[in-house]
Amino acid sequence: MVDQRKVGVLGGGQLGRMLIEAANRLNIQVNVLDAAASPAKQISAHEEHIEGSFKDAAAVKKLAESSDVLTVEIEHVDTHMLEEVAGQVVVEPSWKTLRTIKDKYAQKQYLKEHGVDVADSVDLEGKGVEGLKEVGSTYDYPFMLKSKTEAYDGKGNFVVKSKSDVDAAFEALGKRPLYAERWADFRMELAVMVVKTKDGVLTFPTVETVHEESICKLTYSPPRNVSENVAQRAQELAKKAIGAFKGKGVFGVEMFLLKDDSLLVNEIAPRPHNSGHYTIEACPISQYDAHLRAILDLPISQASLRLREPSIMLNILGGKTPDSHAQVAKKALESPNASIHLYGKGDARPGRKMGHITITAPTLAAAEREMQPLIDFVDSQKGKTVESRSKSSTKADALVAVIMGSDSDLPVLRAGLEILTKLQIPFTTRITSAHRTPDWLRDFSKSAASTSLKVIIGAAGGAAHLPGMCASWTTLPVIGLPVKPSVGDGWDSLVSMTNMPRGEPVATVGVNNSTNAALLAVRILGAENLEIRERLRVWMEGNEKEVLRKDQALLEGGWETYLKGMGK
Amino acid sequence: MVDQRKVGVLGGGQLGRMLIEAANRLNIQVNVLDAAASPAKQISAHEEHIEGSFKDAAAVKKLAESSDVLTVEIEHVDTHMLEEVAGQVVVEPSWKTLRTIKDKYAQKQYLKEHGVDVADSVDLEGKGVEGLKEVGSTYDYPFMLKSKTEAYDGKGNFVVKSKSDVDAAFEALGKRPLYAERWADFRMELAVMVVKTKDGVLTFPTVETVHEESICKLTYSPPRNVSENVAQRAQELAKKAIGAFKGKGVFGVEMFLLKDDSLLVNEIAPRPHNSGHYTIEACPISQYDAHLRAILDLPISQASLRLREPSIMLNILGGKTPDSHAQVAKKALESPNASIHLYGKGDARPGRKMGHITITAPTLAAAEREMQPLIDFVDSQKGKTVESRSKSSTKADALVAVIMGSDSDLPVLRAGLEILTKLQIPFTTRITSAHRTPDWLRDFSKSAASTSLKVIIGAAGGAAHLPGMCASWTTLPVIGLPVKPSVGDGWDSLVSMTNMPRGEPVATVGVNNSTNAALLAVRILGAENLEIRERLRVWMEGNEKEVLRKDQALLEGGWETYLKGMGK
């Protein structure tokens, strides 16, 4: 084993269970405080687990006695008890951090004090219904009414949409310690898992989270239609937020991406988090490995937190019938890239997290295509009308875009498009004139790199600015195909493409040689994709054989017969 | 859960343990027959495990009674006992298959009868020392003397190098049931995990296996310096071999790759195998998932058996001291892409399999670089002189080769090489004249695709055949950089590159514009590698800012001042 210390965990649900999966592989003993046969205990057979509730002081004490490091899978614990045992056992993250974070209002205030952008919020404890009305007039409607404590998966939250909602909101939550938050008009939600070690703060990649009925439904990594710049800023913000707290371990940081691309921290979890499940398959080190290493001061580096492949995670929730969730898991067995995690929980109450599925694939678009039937299945279980497929973003995952300045270039492109078809390269063809539709070309080029596209072929004649302008607006490789115009020999176009200024290259091929433009695209794809490279190799071999066959015919039949065969 | 049936497994070592890891995630109960606290039982807390030996008939019967499907983690079981219980419980793979395979001579005969290429072998049971000498004169020396049964990890094998070895060989193995095998003069060993389902035979990718003292030390997937064609033939051979047997589950097929690129099956294992450990991280579905699904008739498709990333597996063996293996695991914690698996075994006897490490990385070369320090560490523990790094295949992992027809092209290349350096693209520079060193250019080009290279830049002036000839001998994308010669303007070279015949494209950039040749190479790499693409984006952003800065200076200072600043 790499470490003799024993880790005690308050709570043995799915997070504890997945933490134990990681610990098992390192032969590190984890002592779980929870009910007998809780999910975590099922995969850890030893005599030192504690039976009881993580809210029971005596049980926590017992756990502390049998462990070297205490940690939590949930923040709704008695932090005073942790404070008490912190003298005899290491507690990570610090009980102080847990105390601040478990009170969401205190959490927000703390973040604000440390310069982290959060939505405006106001304390409503003891302020009654009048307090809510006051918030309505200051923040305007809608605003969020939230319980400071014991709030998760939408429980303890109320969206106050208008003045007429105020009474219902107070009725629902009035007995709890309340605060209000200004409505964040976000375009999507992002999340970042942060690792706090003895040496510093590291981050996993940014993910997009999709909630339904306030429960996390899906995560996408990388996020869809989000620039690298936004993703990086999300990581930086998450780092800043967690850097403000004491203690070690992983933290989940949920954020709003507003319509102006600015970011607000929404909520922090001082433990592994649903938005980090994808890391088990998608990263070299999972959030659970990272948590374990961080609290035990074992080595961990930022390089471990990269994305191996784009991934999508779908939660498996309890549904209408006791086996709804099992049906989803069964369906997922048919999905080639799906990793299925069932948590070994008992009753499948509607909305209860019973498991999750992670799909990783070479591109996010491919992962989306594979996940869509599972999303449809889950939605149809709920009686939701399944969105028509054409509306979803899962249409053909084109690797090559063939763009042309005019439809008059299309006949020249035929040979190249036939090659792409033959070699099974998914492609799309578009008309994007640099001079007649400059804005459309700009939009196309600017967004190309965040789609499934890997290479662009630009065909143009005359001034032939198309591939050059495209190259100026994208980081993808652009191939220039000069097209012979009705007047002139096409050298003008060729030179317009080769002579791009230093900075924005166009990979130019011969005039009208769309075959070579297509084959160059295939070579570029094949640089990384060995399956495509092999298809090209076989094609080239065929070409070679064809010429050798001709040579043999010429040798055997003589040049005169050969010419006759050619009809010349 | 996706399946209510209980799986009984004979043996609870590391293979059973990793099978349970897979079963736990699907909430499928596995009942283990082995000693208490055996590796598999440690991660499966329930009351239906059986304590005892998998060789004990009564215990096997008890396991059969509590399970719906029986399987094995080892073939050295009592197949007559399995035959007996096969009436009351499903046994997978079939006891008939286990019986044939556990006797290595019977296995070879069976394969031969089914048209599978194996080394020649001859029965030596009851033939005494004279039998061995006879083999020596028929097969010549060296030949392999093998025990038909209970042979693994080199135990029960003896390499009879010369006539003078015969007595020692008989002394060592004479009491066992023996056979001899003709020596296979292999250049490397390959292995393929095969999945036999109710519907057909599927294969995982081909791996290279490296043995040391007859124990598997390393696996490489894909294998090093092996063509796609050989890898495919290995999969086909493995499929054919396993197709000949009854029953479901995964099978390991170990093969010899001979010097003429032909393949022989060496040995078959009717169960998960050491050469398939890499699948846990490297494939969407591991060999353990596959075994479980195959024996339970759950869905499984060939698409699940792809390689997510190239990977290398290193076994962690018991070493000189009781904690040698723990030291290796600790060292691996520092390796960012290493997944560490410790098996929870007790005593670390020298050579005992205590765990393994899998590294996956975007390229095999990157995985090799990361694995090398661990191999060195293991070797130094054994007192082996660590090979000097320069001799190993882990030298700089060049992604781009910049080849030139003459050293006179080098000054033109400087700007491009500086860009590659700035954007941290590993590259190599070579002089390969198409006309003065045609054979060297051919050798270089033909082997390029099986190295770490992804793109080639060919710089040439005059006739400028270099990039075009290179493109004709490789499937990699080739960028042509026309170099202005002392006589002429370079257009001749440019045209020689763009006007390649249909079939072998050269991505041509402007005359002397090595900056763009380099940036095009970066774009091609960035098509798949998002990290490189991001570096390029930042660089382009810097370029844009620089021009905007100049525009501002021109606006503010006026054109005359500006010209003065330029010294013009």
Side-chain angles (χ1 to χ4, degrees), chain A residues 521-548:
Chain A
V522 176
R523 285 190 185 225
I524 289 171
L525 295 171
E528 279 295 340
N529 186 321
L530 297 185
E531 201 189 314
I532 291 178
R533 194 193 286 183
E534 176 61 13
R535 272 183 243 152
L536 176 66
R537 190 191 62 74
V538 171
W539 185 90
M540 285 173 72
E541 212 171 61
N543 244 14
E544 186 174 8
K545 279 183 192 148
E546 177 60 13
V547 176
L548 294 177

PDB file of all heavy atoms in Angstrom, chain A residues 521-548:
ATOM      1  N   ALA A 521      -6.766  16.906 -47.020  1.00  0.00           N
ATOM      2  CA  ALA A 521      -7.636  16.917 -45.825  1.00  0.00           C
ATOM      3  C   ALA A 521      -7.600  15.560 -45.130  1.00  0.00           C
ATOM      4  O   ALA A 521      -7.510  15.477 -43.901  1.00  0.00           O
ATOM      5  CB  ALA A 521      -9.067  17.281 -46.223  1.00  0.00           C
ATOM      6  N   VAL A 522      -7.627  14.507 -45.927  1.00  0.00           N
ATOM      7  CA  VAL A 522      -7.597  13.157 -45.352  1.00  0.00           C
ATOM      8  C   VAL A 522      -6.265  12.929 -44.633  1.00  0.00           C
ATOM      9  O   VAL A 522      -6.219  12.371 -43.530  1.00  0.00           O
ATOM     10  CB  VAL A 522      -7.817  12.090 -46.446  1.00  0.00           C
ATOM     11  CG1 VAL A 522      -7.678  10.693 -45.863  1.00  0.00           C
ATOM     12  CG2 VAL A 522      -9.188  12.269 -47.101  1.00  0.00           C
ATOM     13  N   ARG A 523      -5.159  13.378 -45.240  1.00  0.00           N
ATOM     14  CA  ARG A 523      -3.847  13.227 -44.577  1.00  0.00           C
ATOM     15  C   ARG A 523      -3.814  13.978 -43.258  1.00  0.00           C
ATOM     16  O   ARG A 523      -3.244  13.518 -42.265  1.00  0.00           O
ATOM     17  CB  ARG A 523      -2.734  13.753 -45.488  1.00  0.00           C
ATOM     18  CG  ARG A 523      -2.410  12.811 -46.636  1.00  0.00           C
ATOM     19  CD  ARG A 523      -1.158  13.257 -47.366  1.00  0.00           C
ATOM     20  NE  ARG A 523      -0.934  12.420 -48.531  1.00  0.00           N
ATOM     21  CZ  ARG A 523       0.253  11.911 -48.881  1.00  0.00           C
ATOM     22  NH1 ARG A 523       1.337  12.198 -48.166  1.00  0.00           N
ATOM     23  NH2 ARG A 523       0.368  11.154 -49.937  1.00  0.00           N
ATOM     24  N   ILE A 524      -4.395  15.162 -43.248  1.00  0.00           N
ATOM     25  CA  ILE A 524      -4.399  15.967 -42.019  1.00  0.00           C
ATOM     26  C   ILE A 524      -5.196  15.245 -40.928  1.00  0.00           C
ATOM     27  O   ILE A 524      -4.759  15.135 -39.785  1.00  0.00           O
ATOM     28  CB  ILE A 524      -4.969  17.373 -42.302  1.00  0.00           C
ATOM     29  CG1 ILE A 524      -3.954  18.171 -43.148  1.00  0.00           C
ATOM     30  CG2 ILE A 524      -5.310  18.106 -41.004  1.00  0.00           C
ATOM     31  CD1 ILE A 524      -4.476  19.497 -43.671  1.00  0.00           C
ATOM     32  N   LEU A 525      -6.365  14.718 -41.294  1.00  0.00           N
ATOM     33  CA  LEU A 525      -7.159  13.964 -40.315  1.00  0.00           C
ATOM     34  C   LEU A 525      -6.393  12.717 -39.867  1.00  0.00           C
ATOM     35  O   LEU A 525      -6.398  12.346 -38.697  1.00  0.00           O
ATOM     36  CB  LEU A 525      -8.500  13.553 -40.925  1.00  0.00           C
ATOM     37  CG  LEU A 525      -9.449  14.696 -41.288  1.00  0.00           C
ATOM     38  CD1 LEU A 525     -10.639  14.170 -42.082  1.00  0.00           C
ATOM     39  CD2 LEU A 525      -9.931  15.418 -40.027  1.00  0.00           C
ATOM     40  N   GLY A 526      -5.709  12.092 -40.840  1.00  0.00           N
ATOM     41  CA  GLY A 526      -4.983  10.861 -40.548  1.00  0.00           C
ATOM     42  C   GLY A 526      -3.739  11.075 -39.694  1.00  0.00           C
ATOM     43  O   GLY A 526      -3.188  10.124 -39.134  1.00  0.00           O
ATOM     44  N   ALA A 527      -3.296  12.338 -39.580  1.00  0.00           N
ATOM     45  CA  ALA A 527      -2.131  12.609 -38.731  1.00  0.00           C
ATOM     46  C   ALA A 527      -2.395  12.111 -37.317  1.00  0.00           C
ATOM     47  O   ALA A 527      -1.497  11.592 -36.655  1.00  0.00           O
ATOM     48  CB  ALA A 527      -1.816  14.108 -38.727  1.00  0.00           C
ATOM     49  N   GLU A 528      -3.636  12.242 -36.842  1.00  0.00           N
ATOM     50  CA  GLU A 528      -3.970  11.779 -35.499  1.00  0.00           C
ATOM     51  C   GLU A 528      -4.860  10.543 -35.506  1.00  0.00           C
ATOM     52  O   GLU A 528      -4.772   9.710 -34.617  1.00  0.00           O
ATOM     53  CB  GLU A 528      -4.699  12.878 -34.710  1.00  0.00           C
ATOM     54  CG  GLU A 528      -3.791  13.917 -34.093  1.00  0.00           C
ATOM     55  CD  GLU A 528      -2.875  13.354 -33.007  1.00  0.00           C
ATOM     56  OE1 GLU A 528      -3.157  12.287 -32.451  1.00  0.00           O
ATOM     57  OE2 GLU A 528      -1.853  14.011 -32.738  1.00  0.00           O
ATOM     58  N   ASN A 529      -5.714  10.443 -36.506  1.00  0.00           N
ATOM     59  CA  ASN A 529      -6.695   9.352 -36.533  1.00  0.00           C
ATOM     60  C   ASN A 529      -6.155   8.181 -37.355  1.00  0.00           C
ATOM     61  O   ASN A 529      -6.149   8.193 -38.579  1.00  0.00           O
ATOM     62  CB  ASN A 529      -8.003   9.887 -37.122  1.00  0.00           C
ATOM     63  CG  ASN A 529      -9.113   8.864 -37.061  1.00  0.00           C
ATOM     64  OD1 ASN A 529      -8.889   7.670 -37.283  1.00  0.00           O
ATOM     65  ND2 ASN A 529     -10.316   9.319 -36.769  1.00  0.00           N
ATOM     66  N   LEU A 530      -5.709   7.152 -36.646  1.00  0.00           N
ATOM     67  CA  LEU A 530      -5.009   6.055 -37.323  1.00  0.00           C
ATOM     68  C   LEU A 530      -5.947   5.236 -38.202  1.00  0.00           C
ATOM     69  O   LEU A 530      -5.519   4.619 -39.171  1.00  0.00           O
ATOM     70  CB  LEU A 530      -4.322   5.161 -36.297  1.00  0.00           C
ATOM     71  CG  LEU A 530      -3.242   5.877 -35.484  1.00  0.00           C
ATOM     72  CD1 LEU A 530      -2.522   4.889 -34.588  1.00  0.00           C
ATOM     73  CD2 LEU A 530      -2.235   6.583 -36.388  1.00  0.00           C
ATOM     74  N   GLU A 531      -7.232   5.268 -37.879  1.00  0.00           N
ATOM     75  CA  GLU A 531      -8.192   4.524 -38.689  1.00  0.00           C
ATOM     76  C   GLU A 531      -8.295   5.194 -40.060  1.00  0.00           C
ATOM     77  O   GLU A 531      -8.274   4.523 -41.097  1.00  0.00           O
ATOM     78  CB  GLU A 531      -9.530   4.559 -37.966  1.00  0.00           C
ATOM     79  CG  GLU A 531     -10.484   3.474 -38.373  1.00  0.00           C
ATOM     80  CD  GLU A 531     -11.851   3.728 -37.765  1.00  0.00           C
ATOM     81  OE1 GLU A 531     -11.911   4.043 -36.552  1.00  0.00           O
ATOM     82  OE2 GLU A 531     -12.840   3.643 -38.517  1.00  0.00           O
ATOM     83  N   ILE A 532      -8.377   6.514 -40.065  1.00  0.00           N
ATOM     84  CA  ILE A 532      -8.441   7.241 -41.330  1.00  0.00           C
ATOM     85  C   ILE A 532      -7.128   7.068 -42.096  1.00  0.00           C
ATOM     86  O   ILE A 532      -7.112   6.878 -43.314  1.00  0.00           O
ATOM     87  CB  ILE A 532      -8.739   8.744 -41.069  1.00  0.00           C
ATOM     88  CG1 ILE A 532     -10.171   8.887 -40.539  1.00  0.00           C
ATOM     89  CG2 ILE A 532      -8.529   9.571 -42.329  1.00  0.00           C
ATOM     90  CD1 ILE A 532     -10.578  10.309 -40.188  1.00  0.00           C
ATOM     91  N   ARG A 533      -6.012   7.109 -41.371  1.00  0.00           N
ATOM     92  CA  ARG A 533      -4.714   6.968 -42.039  1.00  0.00           C
ATOM     93  C   ARG A 533      -4.623   5.623 -42.761  1.00  0.00           C
ATOM     94  O   ARG A 533      -4.087   5.528 -43.853  1.00  0.00           O
ATOM     95  CB  ARG A 533      -3.579   7.102 -41.019  1.00  0.00           C
ATOM     96  CG  ARG A 533      -2.226   7.306 -41.679  1.00  0.00           C
ATOM     97  CD  ARG A 533      -1.078   7.125 -40.700  1.00  0.00           C
ATOM     98  NE  ARG A 533      -0.929   8.241 -39.780  1.00  0.00           N
ATOM     99  CZ  ARG A 533       0.041   8.298 -38.887  1.00  0.00           C
ATOM    100  NH1 ARG A 533       0.945   7.325 -38.803  1.00  0.00           N
ATOM    101  NH2 ARG A 533       0.133   9.319 -38.065  1.00  0.00           N
ATOM    102  N   GLU A 534      -5.178   4.599 -42.093  1.00  0.00           N
ATOM    103  CA  GLU A 534      -5.141   3.263 -42.687  1.00  0.00           C
ATOM    104  C   GLU A 534      -5.997   3.217 -43.950  1.00  0.00           C
ATOM    105  O   GLU A 534      -5.594   2.612 -44.957  1.00  0.00           O
ATOM    106  CB  GLU A 534      -5.609   2.232 -41.650  1.00  0.00           C
ATOM    107  CG  GLU A 534      -5.725   0.801 -42.155  1.00  0.00           C
ATOM    108  CD  GLU A 534      -4.417   0.211 -42.665  1.00  0.00           C
ATOM    109  OE1 GLU A 534      -3.346   0.795 -42.422  1.00  0.00           O
ATOM    110  OE2 GLU A 534      -4.468  -0.839 -43.338  1.00  0.00           O
ATOM    111  N   ARG A 535      -7.154   3.893 -43.911  1.00  0.00           N
ATOM    112  CA  ARG A 535      -7.996   3.927 -45.108  1.00  0.00           C
ATOM    113  C   ARG A 535      -7.237   4.582 -46.258  1.00  0.00           C
ATOM    114  O   ARG A 535      -7.295   4.129 -47.391  1.00  0.00           O
ATOM    115  CB  ARG A 535      -9.273   4.737 -44.830  1.00  0.00           C
ATOM    116  CG  ARG A 535     -10.394   3.910 -44.249  1.00  0.00           C
ATOM    117  CD  ARG A 535     -11.645   4.769 -44.073  1.00  0.00           C
ATOM    118  NE  ARG A 535     -12.006   4.876 -42.677  1.00  0.00           N
ATOM    119  CZ  ARG A 535     -12.646   5.897 -42.122  1.00  0.00           C
ATOM    120  NH1 ARG A 535     -13.004   6.934 -42.854  1.00  0.00           N
ATOM    121  NH2 ARG A 535     -12.931   5.895 -40.842  1.00  0.00           N
ATOM    122  N   LEU A 536      -6.502   5.645 -45.951  1.00  0.00           N
ATOM    123  CA  LEU A 536      -5.719   6.342 -46.976  1.00  0.00           C
ATOM    124  C   LEU A 536      -4.622   5.436 -47.521  1.00  0.00           C
ATOM    125  O   LEU A 536      -4.399   5.378 -48.738  1.00  0.00           O
ATOM    126  CB  LEU A 536      -5.102   7.614 -46.368  1.00  0.00           C
ATOM    127  CG  LEU A 536      -4.176   8.398 -47.295  1.00  0.00           C
ATOM    128  CD1 LEU A 536      -4.956   8.972 -48.471  1.00  0.00           C
ATOM    129  CD2 LEU A 536      -3.468   9.526 -46.536  1.00  0.00           C
ATOM    130  N   ARG A 537      -3.977   4.714 -46.620  1.00  0.00           N
ATOM    131  CA  ARG A 537      -2.895   3.831 -47.044  1.00  0.00           C
ATOM    132  C   ARG A 537      -3.416   2.787 -48.038  1.00  0.00           C
ATOM    133  O   ARG A 537      -2.808   2.544 -49.089  1.00  0.00           O
ATOM    134  CB  ARG A 537      -2.276   3.122 -45.829  1.00  0.00           C
ATOM    135  CG  ARG A 537      -0.989   2.366 -46.124  1.00  0.00           C
ATOM    136  CD  ARG A 537      -0.561   1.462 -44.971  1.00  0.00           C
ATOM    137  NE  ARG A 537      -1.525   0.428 -44.666  1.00  0.00           N
ATOM    138  CZ  ARG A 537      -1.731  -0.660 -45.418  1.00  0.00           C
ATOM    139  NH1 ARG A 537      -1.031  -0.856 -46.526  1.00  0.00           N
ATOM    140  NH2 ARG A 537      -2.646  -1.554 -45.077  1.00  0.00           N
ATOM    141  N   VAL A 538      -4.553   2.213 -47.706  1.00  0.00           N
ATOM    142  CA  VAL A 538      -5.138   1.200 -48.583  1.00  0.00           C
ATOM    143  C   VAL A 538      -5.489   1.821 -49.944  1.00  0.00           C
ATOM    144  O   VAL A 538      -5.230   1.243 -50.989  1.00  0.00           O
ATOM    145  CB  VAL A 538      -6.391   0.582 -47.914  1.00  0.00           C
ATOM    146  CG1 VAL A 538      -7.157  -0.309 -48.890  1.00  0.00           C
ATOM    147  CG2 VAL A 538      -5.981  -0.201 -46.669  1.00  0.00           C
ATOM    148  N   TRP A 539      -6.048   3.036 -49.899  1.00  0.00           N
ATOM    149  CA  TRP A 539      -6.396   3.739 -51.141  1.00  0.00           C
ATOM    150  C   TRP A 539      -5.152   3.973 -51.992  1.00  0.00           C
ATOM    151  O   TRP A 539      -5.147   3.745 -53.202  1.00  0.00           O
ATOM    152  CB  TRP A 539      -7.080   5.073 -50.797  1.00  0.00           C
ATOM    153  CG  TRP A 539      -7.581   5.807 -52.003  1.00  0.00           C
ATOM    154  CD1 TRP A 539      -8.813   5.707 -52.587  1.00  0.00           C
ATOM    155  CD2 TRP A 539      -6.857   6.780 -52.789  1.00  0.00           C
ATOM    156  NE1 TRP A 539      -8.904   6.527 -53.680  1.00  0.00           N
ATOM    157  CE2 TRP A 539      -7.727   7.193 -53.825  1.00  0.00           C
ATOM    158  CE3 TRP A 539      -5.577   7.320 -52.714  1.00  0.00           C
ATOM    159  CZ2 TRP A 539      -7.340   8.145 -54.771  1.00  0.00           C
ATOM    160  CZ3 TRP A 539      -5.190   8.256 -53.666  1.00  0.00           C
ATOM    161  CH2 TRP A 539      -6.064   8.669 -54.685  1.00  0.00           C
ATOM    162  N   MET A 540      -4.052   4.440 -51.343  1.00  0.00           N
ATOM    163  CA  MET A 540      -2.812   4.712 -52.079  1.00  0.00           C
ATOM    164  C   MET A 540      -2.229   3.420 -52.655  1.00  0.00           C
ATOM    165  O   MET A 540      -1.695   3.403 -53.764  1.00  0.00           O
ATOM    166  CB  MET A 540      -1.785   5.411 -51.171  1.00  0.00           C
ATOM    167  CG  MET A 540      -2.119   6.874 -50.924  1.00  0.00           C
ATOM    168  SD  MET A 540      -1.035   7.668 -49.676  1.00  0.00           S
ATOM    169  CE  MET A 540       0.519   7.793 -50.580  1.00  0.00           C
ATOM    170  N   GLU A 541      -2.358   2.352 -51.893  1.00  0.00           N
ATOM    171  CA  GLU A 541      -1.878   1.053 -52.355  1.00  0.00           C
ATOM    172  C   GLU A 541      -2.631   0.649 -53.632  1.00  0.00           C
ATOM    173  O   GLU A 541      -2.035   0.157 -54.592  1.00  0.00           O
ATOM    174  CB  GLU A 541      -2.142   0.020 -51.255  1.00  0.00           C
ATOM    175  CG  GLU A 541      -1.144  -1.090 -51.156  1.00  0.00           C
ATOM    176  CD  GLU A 541      -1.412  -1.914 -49.897  1.00  0.00           C
ATOM    177  OE1 GLU A 541      -2.511  -2.488 -49.789  1.00  0.00           O
ATOM    178  OE2 GLU A 541      -0.538  -1.944 -49.022  1.00  0.00           O
ATOM    179  N   GLY A 542      -3.940   0.891 -53.609  1.00  0.00           N
ATOM    180  CA  GLY A 542      -4.761   0.593 -54.781  1.00  0.00           C
ATOM    181  C   GLY A 542      -4.301   1.389 -55.988  1.00  0.00           C
ATOM    182  O   GLY A 542      -4.178   0.870 -57.104  1.00  0.00           O
ATOM    183  N   ASN A 543      -4.013   2.658 -55.750  1.00  0.00           N
ATOM    184  CA  ASN A 543      -3.510   3.554 -56.799  1.00  0.00           C
ATOM    185  C   ASN A 543      -2.208   3.029 -57.386  1.00  0.00           C
ATOM    186  O   ASN A 543      -1.999   3.036 -58.603  1.00  0.00           O
ATOM    187  CB  ASN A 543      -3.212   4.918 -56.165  1.00  0.00           C
ATOM    188  CG  ASN A 543      -4.099   5.986 -56.738  1.00  0.00           C
ATOM    189  OD1 ASN A 543      -5.089   5.677 -57.396  1.00  0.00           O
ATOM    190  ND2 ASN A 543      -3.750   7.229 -56.506  1.00  0.00           N
ATOM    191  N   GLU A 544      -1.326   2.597 -56.495  1.00  0.00           N
ATOM    192  CA  GLU A 544      -0.023   2.096 -56.917  1.00  0.00           C
ATOM    193  C   GLU A 544      -0.210   0.857 -57.796  1.00  0.00           C
ATOM    194  O   GLU A 544       0.387   0.736 -58.865  1.00  0.00           O
ATOM    195  CB  GLU A 544       0.819   1.755 -55.682  1.00  0.00           C
ATOM    196  CG  GLU A 544       2.247   1.370 -56.008  1.00  0.00           C
ATOM    197  CD  GLU A 544       3.089   1.172 -54.743  1.00  0.00           C
ATOM    198  OE1 GLU A 544       2.526   1.186 -53.637  1.00  0.00           O
ATOM    199  OE2 GLU A 544       4.312   1.000 -54.887  1.00  0.00           O
ATOM    200  N   LYS A 545      -1.078  -0.044 -57.325  1.00  0.00           N
ATOM    201  CA  LYS A 545      -1.325  -1.277 -58.075  1.00  0.00           C
ATOM    202  C   LYS A 545      -1.880  -0.976 -59.455  1.00  0.00           C
ATOM    203  O   LYS A 545      -1.526  -1.629 -60.443  1.00  0.00           O
ATOM    204  CB  LYS A 545      -2.299  -2.170 -57.304  1.00  0.00           C
ATOM    205  CG  LYS A 545      -1.613  -2.956 -56.216  1.00  0.00           C
ATOM    206  CD  LYS A 545      -2.571  -3.900 -55.514  1.00  0.00           C
ATOM    207  CE  LYS A 545      -1.915  -4.445 -54.245  1.00  0.00           C
ATOM    208  NZ  LYS A 545      -2.890  -4.691 -53.206  1.00  0.00           N
ATOM    209  N   GLU A 546      -2.744   0.037 -59.520  1.00  0.00           N
ATOM    210  CA  GLU A 546      -3.373   0.403 -60.781  1.00  0.00           C
ATOM    211  C   GLU A 546      -2.304   0.851 -61.785  1.00  0.00           C
ATOM    212  O   GLU A 546      -2.316   0.437 -62.959  1.00  0.00           O
ATOM    213  CB  GLU A 546      -4.386   1.528 -60.515  1.00  0.00           C
ATOM    214  CG  GLU A 546      -5.086   2.100 -61.724  1.00  0.00           C
ATOM    215  CD  GLU A 546      -5.905   1.088 -62.510  1.00  0.00           C
ATOM    216  OE1 GLU A 546      -6.128  -0.016 -61.988  1.00  0.00           O
ATOM    217  OE2 GLU A 546      -6.280   1.400 -63.657  1.00  0.00           O
ATOM    218  N   VAL A 547      -1.349   1.657 -61.319  1.00  0.00           N
ATOM    219  CA  VAL A 547      -0.294   2.119 -62.238  1.00  0.00           C
ATOM    220  C   VAL A 547       0.616   0.948 -62.629  1.00  0.00           C
ATOM    221  O   VAL A 547       1.015   0.814 -63.793  1.00  0.00           O
ATOM    222  CB  VAL A 547       0.522   3.274 -61.605  1.00  0.00           C
ATOM    223  CG1 VAL A 547       1.670   3.670 -62.533  1.00  0.00           C
ATOM    224  CG2 VAL A 547      -0.375   4.470 -61.322  1.00  0.00           C
ATOM    225  N   LEU A 548       0.911   0.073 -61.690  1.00  0.00           N
ATOM    226  CA  LEU A 548       1.752  -1.093 -62.002  1.00  0.00           C
ATOM    227  C   LEU A 548       1.054  -2.005 -63.018  1.00  0.00           C
ATOM    228  O   LEU A 548       1.694  -2.563 -63.916  1.00  0.00           O
ATOM    229  CB  LEU A 548       2.074  -1.877 -60.726  1.00  0.00           C
ATOM    230  CG  LEU A 548       2.957  -1.125 -59.715  1.00  0.00           C
ATOM    231  CD1 LEU A 548       3.147  -1.960 -58.452  1.00  0.00           C
ATOM    232  CD2 LEU A 548       4.327  -0.786 -60.321  1.00  0.00           C
TER     233      LEU A 548
END
